Amino acid sequence: MDLSCFKAYDLRGSVPEQLNPALAERIGRAYVEITGAKKVIVGYDIRLSSQEITEALSSGLMAAGADVFDIGLCGTEYVYFATSHYGMDGGIMVTASHNPKNHNGMKMVGPESRPISSDNGLNDIRDRVREPFSDAPVQGRYEALEVTSAYIDHLLGYIDASALAPIKIVVNAGNGGAGLVIDQLEKHLPFEFIKVHHQPDGNFPNGVPNPILEENREATANAVIEHGAAMGIAWDGDYDRCFFFDENGRFIEGYYIVGLLADQFLRKTGPGNVIHDPRLIWNTQDLVKAAGGEAIESKTGHAFIKQRMRDEDAVYGGEMSAHHYFRDFAYCDSGMIPWLLLAERLCQSGKPFSSLIDARIEAYPASGEINRTINDPAKVIAAIEEKYSHGAKSVSYVDGLSIEFDNWRFNLRMSNTEPVVRLNVESRADIPLMKEKTEELLAEMEQLNG
């Protein structure tokens, strides 16, 4: 039995080779036996295979004795919300997010929408799938559950409706599921939405929705400029990540969005803890401190961020990869809350989006994440550490290698899945220094790679 679709944090694979209804049914049975869940939320994205896989998954869950609450076509955050909001024992979202259109997968959570990954049950579910099953003495029941009303009310609770103005916003769902939520929110907001690739379509006629790829940004940027919009937003397929464009159509690096959201959120909540990843940190630390909060580093990855947020009772957590987490959203990531907060900020400030970002880029210019294929990543990182740690202000291993000097710092980390090293460099108000050190490190890595 091919179980290669099981990854570190979720399931992903081609359909039907790696993931198919027969396997989905067994996964449902194994999920119940390993977790002991009696009430499980299921939802699915717009991919052509999603509904069939969800039906098979639900059949397995019920055969193992669990009641299934089907919330239908939705985004991943719907499952997070419903599992927590309705006090369920767990939830499973059928999605492959931004992967190729012939792929599918699953994201699993337990009570309170706590993530299920390879270090807390996912491998056990995988191993149980291999073994024979027998039906539970009492079969679970099926119920369709309407979640949208409660979910929309929750989203609107993050913003002050009286502070909003009729600004123009470009929204690009990439033919994923985000457009369905925008249509619901539109009824309650004064914004004029310019809708690009809006209709859900699992054929992905405009390409797989993945705005982190530069070639996928043009449609949003052009629409912002053409319509004179205040900002643009684009999502991946299951809209747990959102990406931003300013009024000039410029794509904004996720690093600067983390700082802006931390600042906006702390303005609302008062002093609190904010979790961030270690790749680029100075801008976030500066804004959080100025807002009376405390910035805390966590290893990159949603399971690590969510657990650290619980440990620290953090109000917000952000990764530069465009995942944003909120305490009142069961510590889970949302692709809808961030843009609502930033739209509110634009309305409150009366300033263009670019003016909120430009000063931060000047204060803490950054390289953005640069990936290089390396034959022996561990050897190269060790050699870089040996060369640069002498005279450094600090050396950290929270996630990979971070070395800090007075006016610049870098983070170098290995990919978990491929022979790739990821580099991020930033400086204090010195763009030439940031560029110089970036080129220097890349040249050093190339030389060490031989």
Side-chain angles (χ1 to χ4, degrees):
M1 186 182 300
D2 181 5
L3 298 180
S4 59
C5 61
F6 281 81
K7 310 298 183 183
Y9 300 116
D10 53 26
L11 287 79
R12 279 170 283 126
S14 59
V15 178
E17 295 82 8
Q18 295 170 297
L19 183 61
N20 51 56
L23 178 55
E25 197 267 351
R26 297 183 69 82
I27 289 170
R29 290 172 177 266
Y31 176 91
V32 175
E33 290 196 12
I34 294 300
T35 66
K38 297 299 183 186
K39 298 184 296 180
V40 182
I41 293 286
V42 296
Y44 56 90
D45 73 6
I46 45 77
R47 289 168 183 270
L48 302 180
S49 61
S50 289
Q51 191 165 0
E52 184 181 16
I53 288 174
T54 303
E55 288 171 358
L57 171 70
S58 298
S59 177
L61 291 166
M62 290 186 290
D67 293 339
V68 167
F69 295 85
D70 185 354
I71 62 174
L73 177 63
C74 64
T76 297
E77 64 190 68
Y78 257 78
V79 170
Y80 295 156
F81 172 77
T83 302
S84 172
H85 184 75
Y86 294 105
M88 299 294 179
D89 300 321
I92 304 176
M93 175 69 183
V94 174
T95 179
S97 185
H98 58 278
N99 286 29
K101 69 178 182 180
N102 64 325
H103 284 221
N104 219 318
M106 299 180 192
K107 295 178 180 177
M108 299 181 175
V109 295
E112 300 175 335
S113 293
R114 292 175 180 265
I116 296 175
S117 57
S118 58
D119 59 356
N120 72 337
L122 192 58
N123 288 347
D124 297 328
I125 293 171
R126 177 199 63 199
D127 295 343
R128 181 66 187 90
V129 166
R130 303 180 193 274
E131 306 300 325
F133 290 102
S134 56
D135 289 350
V138 179
Q139 301 286 289
R141 64 185 182 88
Y142 172 90
E143 179 181 328
L145 183 64
E146 195 282 312
V147 175
T148 297
S149 299
Y151 166 70
I152 294 297
D153 285 347
H154 183 85
L155 293 182
L156 293 171
Y158 286 88
I159 55 173
D160 176 7
S162 67
L164 304 181
I167 61 173
K168 193 179 294 185
I169 301 174
V170 167
V171 289
N172 184 348
N175 301 114
L180 298 172
V181 182
I182 294 300
D183 290 344
Q184 292 296 321
L185 287 169
E186 187 174 25
K187 304 170 186 176
H188 306 276
L189 300 169
F191 307 141
E192 178 185 347
F193 290 107
I194 309 300
K195 299 173 181 179
V196 177
H197 304 159
H198 192 70
Q199 294 304 316
D201 187 343
N203 290 298
F204 297 134
N206 297 290
V208 176
N210 185 12
I212 209 161
L213 300 177
E214 287 191 28
E215 60 268 26
N216 289 352
R217 300 173 187 169
E218 187 176 0
T220 311
N222 289 346
V224 168
I225 295 166
E226 178 186 348
H227 294 276
M231 72 171 174
I233 313 154
W235 292 269
D236 58 1
D238 62 336
Y239 56 91
D240 60 351
R241 294 184 301 158
C242 57
F243 301 82
F244 292 90
F245 299 75
D246 70 11
E247 77 282 1
N248 301 310
R250 175 181 58 169
F251 179 80
I252 307 300
E253 287 290 343
Y255 172 40
Y256 300 105
I257 297 298
V258 172
L260 193 54
L261 280 171
D263 178 57
Q264 179 70 353
F265 214 70
L266 290 173
R267 286 170 181 240
K268 290 173 166 292
T269 64
N273 292 335
V274 169
I275 307 298
H276 61 90
D277 67 272
R279 289 172 280 186
L280 296 166
I281 65 173
W282 280 344
N283 180 63
T284 304
Q285 290 176 344
D286 187 21
L287 285 169
V288 170
K289 182 179 179 181
E294 182 178 353
I296 300 169
E297 283 185 51
S298 166
K299 187 176 174 67
T300 305
H302 81 105
F304 299 111
I305 298 274
K306 289 171 181 175
Q307 185 56 51
R308 194 66 190 276
M309 286 186 69
R310 284 186 160 90
D311 293 343
E312 304 289 347
D313 191 32
V315 295
Y316 164 72
E319 293 181 277
M320 54 179 281
S321 57
H323 284 285
H324 302 281
Y325 309 84
F326 301 88
R327 180 177 63 190
D328 295 338
F329 201 67
Y331 299 97
C332 289
D333 36 335
S334 166
M336 288 293 158
I337 299 169
W339 79 260
L340 286 167
L341 288 167
L342 292 190
E344 178 189 48
R345 179 65 171 272
L346 289 181
C347 295
Q348 289 171 335
S349 71
K351 297 177 181 178
F353 198 169
S354 60
S355 71
L356 301 177
I357 295 295
D358 287 344
R360 307 316 305 174
I361 294 175
E362 290 172 12
Y364 299 102
S367 64
E369 191 153 86
I370 302 169
N371 297 325
R372 289 289 184 268
T373 301
I374 300 291
N375 296 325
D376 189 344
K379 176 186 172 185
V380 168
I381 291 175
I384 294 287
E385 179 180 1
E386 173 64 25
K387 177 168 182 177
Y388 284 88
S389 59
H390 301 294
K393 188 175 179 180
S394 70
V395 179
S396 168
Y397 308 97
V398 171
D399 194 355
L401 171 69
S402 295
I403 297 184
E404 181 173 321
F405 301 87
D406 286 338
N407 294 318
W408 74 285
R409 67 177 292 278
F410 71 91
N411 173 267
L412 197 60
R413 53 193 283 271
M414 287 187 284
S415 165
N416 293 323
T417 57
E418 51 189 335
V420 167
V421 170
R422 310 188 193 281
L423 173 68
N424 285 278
V425 182
E426 62 183 326
S427 71
R428 296 188 189 277
D430 193 334
I431 293 175
L433 177 64
M434 180 274 293
K435 291 182 176 179
E436 173 196 332
K437 293 300 182 181
T438 301
E439 292 303 319
E440 180 183 301
L441 281 160
L442 289 172
E444 191 76 25
M445 289 161 58
E446 186 175 343
Q447 184 177 346
L448 289 165
N449 196 34

